[in-house]
Amino acid sequence: TLAARTTEDFTTGIPLTIYPNPANNVVTLNFSTMEEGVYSIKLVDMFGRGVKSEIYSAAQGDNNYIMNLEGVAKGIYLVTLQNGDMLSKVKLIVE
């Protein structure tokens, strides 16, 4: 019997794409916004511990943010992108 697969991705208002995934040294976050703003980007391990926390000033339209993963241990993480009430979470695998 096949178990149902669920996704770890969770979005409320910010379409977020991360590539490459799995990643090694760097990862690119791609998202689109309707207005300029300051966004909080966090890398969180599966125990809920913050590994990285960065701030990005996004422009209206498409945005690409490159996150350096140097020194981040191999494993499964959640990347969160937040601006006010708008939040996206995407699972990231670091190899």
Side-chain angles (χ1 to χ4, degrees), residues 56-71:
Y56 177 70
S57 294
Q60 182 179 3
D62 290 334
N63 289 273
N64 287 310
Y65 178 78
I66 297 174
M67 179 183 280
N68 185 344
L69 299 175
E70 190 172 319

Side-chain angles (χ1 to χ4, degrees), residues 35-41 54-59 81-84:
E35 55 188 55
E36 295 179 2
V38 176
Y39 287 75
S40 169
I41 300 169
E54 301 177 7
I55 300 294
Y56 177 70
S57 294
L81 175 68
Q82 185 170 9
N83 176 287

Side-chain angles (χ1 to χ4, degrees), residues 25-52:
N25 297 322
V26 296
V27 67
T28 300
L29 285 68
N30 177 268
F31 63 99
S32 184
T33 66
M34 297 299 288
E35 55 188 55
E36 295 179 2
V38 176
Y39 287 75
S40 169
I41 300 169
K42 295 181 182 175
L43 183 66
V44 180
D45 69 14
M46 297 310 288
F47 297 104
R49 296 180 296 222
V51 176
K52 281 182 133 339

Side-chain angles (χ1 to χ4, degrees), residues 5-10 91:
R5 295 186 71 178
T6 59
T7 179
E8 294 290 330
D9 300 355
F10 173 77
K91 182 170 57 173

